[in-house]
């Protein structure tokens, strides 16, 4: 049985699989519950600025609270969107379904990170950027990681290290590269998961244009994926994540976008987590950009379409 058939059968038999219609329904249902909670004042903001607004200015609190809640609902139910896109792509043979789904997933997580007050600097957008690159969404990188933000210093240590390395590669910034390499050397001295360490080593290899080390780092990441509980395989989609890892697609795409086709061709293709026809199709486009959204939200969730298009 080929890979496509296996995945299609898994999706059609597994009750935990969500189609595009299921994803839309879940998000619309979550927004309805959010609206009721805000009307009854049972949805409360976290302490901090939004909590202050809720106590001092109720008129301001509700729209802010709705935006926070909208982001949380969309993010909570978005994990299955890439896998619904893969199912549609396998069924139809049309790669655009997967690209649109990855694009929409990345943009929703970007919205979530921007609306929620994380206490981090721009490095909080690193993961959304990688998911976006899996869809060819290069503009998202320059939206979330603009060069003028400077060197990242505050946030999750992995995000800070990777953000500086990626920005140094993307913008050709010596300051970012220097900061990234220095912090990476210190960070790698402590204990980390195989996938996290592999990600840092992969980006470091790209800074040296070393295809051999980059390839070894990719294989190292793949080795750790089955045991990873972080963003490589979303826990809500563990059984589907064995067939495709959006984050790995994004890392793989960096090689093409920054180093070009010849460099990318030297890297191994971890077929158990990457869909080779999709990566090849994406690399052959001069300006890879998804056309449209995978899920065209309707009703109360239509605001998501509008926000994703800003």
């Amino acid at each position: 049985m080929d890979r496509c058939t296996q995945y299609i059968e898994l999706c059609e038999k597994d009750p935990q699989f969500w189609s595009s219609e299921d994803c839309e329904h879940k998000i619309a249902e979550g927004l309805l519950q959010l609206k009721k909670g805000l009307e009854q004042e049972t949805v409360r903001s976290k302490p901090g600025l939004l909590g202050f607004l809720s106590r001092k200015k109720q008129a301001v609190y509700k729209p802010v609270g709705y935006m926070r809640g909208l982001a949380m609902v969309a993010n909570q139910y978005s994990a299955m969107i890439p896998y619904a896109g893969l199912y549609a792509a396998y069924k139809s043979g049309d790669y655009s379904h997967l690209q649109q789904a990855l694009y929409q997933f990345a943009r929703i997580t970007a919205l979530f990170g921007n609306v929620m007050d994380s206490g981090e600097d721009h490095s909080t957008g690193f993961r959304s950027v990688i998911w976006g690159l899996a869809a060819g969404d290069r503009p998202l990188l320059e939206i979330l990681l603009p060069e003028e933000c400077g060197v990242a210093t505050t946030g999750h240590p992995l995000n800070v290290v990777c953000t500086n390395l990626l920005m140094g590669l993307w913008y050709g910034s010596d300051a970012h590269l220097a900061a990234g390499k220095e912090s990476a050397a210190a960070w790698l001295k402590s204990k980390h998961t195989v996938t996290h360490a592999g990600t840092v080593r992969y980006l470091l290899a790209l800074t040296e244009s070393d295809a051999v080390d980059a390839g070894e780092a990719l294989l190292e990441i793949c080795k750790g994926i089955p045991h990873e509980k972080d963003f490589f395989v979303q826990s809500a989609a563990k059984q589907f994540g064995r067939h495709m890892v959006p984050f790995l697609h994004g890392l793989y795409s960096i090689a093409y976008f920054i180093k070009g086709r010849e460099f990318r061709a030297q890297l191994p293709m971890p077929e158990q987590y990457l869909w080779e026809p999709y990566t090849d199709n994406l690399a052959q486009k001069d300006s890879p950009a998804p056309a449209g959204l995978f899920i065209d939200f309707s009703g109360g969730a239509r605001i998501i379409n509008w926000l994703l298009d800003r």
Side-chain angles (χ1 to χ4, degrees):
M1 186 184 299
D2 64 30
R3 180 179 177 180
C4 293
T5 305
Q6 283 182 339
Y7 185 75
I8 290 170
E9 287 192 0
L10 167 67
C11 294
E12 292 179 348
K13 290 179 180 178
D14 195 315
Q16 294 186 27
F17 175 73
W18 293 355
S19 65
S20 58
E21 292 80 8
D22 293 329
C23 292
E24 180 177 3
H25 173 73
K26 290 285 187 181
I27 290 178
E29 191 178 70
L31 290 176
L32 180 62
Q33 294 302 315
L34 169 66
K35 184 172 182 292
K36 289 180 179 178
L38 285 171
E39 288 172 349
Q40 297 167 6
E41 298 184 10
T42 58
V43 177
R44 288 295 175 186
S45 180
K46 286 183 178 180
L49 175 61
L50 297 183
F52 172 79
L53 290 174
S54 71
R55 293 191 298 272
K56 298 295 184 182
K57 294 185 178 181
Q58 192 69 21
V60 175
Y61 159 65
K62 287 198 173 181
V64 173
Y66 181 76
M67 288 302 300
R68 172 186 287 277
L70 167 63
M72 292 179 70
V73 169
N75 187 72
Q76 180 181 354
Y77 294 120
S78 67
M80 282 300 298
I81 291 178
Y83 304 104
L86 181 62
Y87 171 76
Y90 275 166
K91 286 279 282 188
S92 66
D94 184 351
Y95 306 125
S96 67
H97 293 304
L98 177 57
Q99 187 180 15
Q100 289 171 349
L102 289 170
Y103 170 85
Q104 193 163 25
F105 171 63
R107 289 275 170 157
I108 285 175
T109 61
L111 173 65
F112 174 75
N114 288 337
V115 172
M116 298 293 285
D117 47 333
S118 65
E120 300 182 9
D121 58 18
H122 52 293
S123 63
T124 191
F126 169 71
R127 303 177 190 197
S128 294
V129 164
I130 301 300
W131 284 319
L133 290 175
D137 188 7
R138 290 177 287 185
L140 185 61
L141 186 151
E142 297 181 8
I143 291 170
L144 295 183
L145 305 179
E147 186 175 10
E148 55 267 28
C149 278
V151 171
T153 58
T154 306
H156 189 290
L158 175 65
N159 288 348
V160 171
V161 171
C162 292
T163 292
N164 287 327
L165 290 173
L166 179 58
M167 291 180 70
L169 285 162
W170 194 265
Y171 297 112
S173 166
D174 291 337
H176 284 91
L177 285 175
K181 288 180 178 180
E182 181 181 357
S183 57
W187 185 87
L188 286 169
K189 290 179 182 177
S190 54
K191 188 175 180 180
H192 303 286
T193 68
V194 174
T195 49
H196 287 185
T199 300
V200 173
R201 291 193 178 101
Y202 174 70
L203 292 173
L204 282 172
L206 292 186
T207 67
E208 302 298 330
S209 298
D210 190 331
V212 174
D213 282 356
E216 289 177 356
L218 281 175
L219 295 177
E220 179 183 348
I221 291 169
C222 291
K223 192 180 297 183
I225 283 174
H227 314 289
E228 184 59 62
K229 296 180 180 179
D230 193 19
F231 50 88
F232 286 86
V233 180
Q234 296 288 324
S235 58
K238 196 77 173 178
Q239 64 272 48
F240 307 105
R242 297 190 186 103
H243 293 261
M244 181 195 68
V245 179
F247 195 88
L248 190 62
H249 266 284
L251 290 177
Y252 199 82
S253 296
I254 293 173
Y256 165 66
F257 291 133
I258 295 177
K259 295 298 180 180
R261 286 188 178 88
E262 291 185 6
F263 186 92
R264 191 200 77 109
Q266 298 177 59
L267 299 178
M269 172 63 69
E271 293 183 3
Q272 69 271 40
Y273 298 121
L274 293 176
W275 187 21
E276 187 172 5
Y278 171 74
T279 59
D280 288 345
N281 181 66
L282 193 66
Q284 288 168 8
K285 297 182 178 180
D286 291 331
S287 300
L293 300 175
F294 179 62
I295 301 175
D296 186 15
F297 291 106
S298 58
R302 190 179 297 277
I303 188 175
I304 296 176
N305 300 337
W306 183 84
L307 288 169
L308 296 185
D309 195 37
R310 294 307 94 194

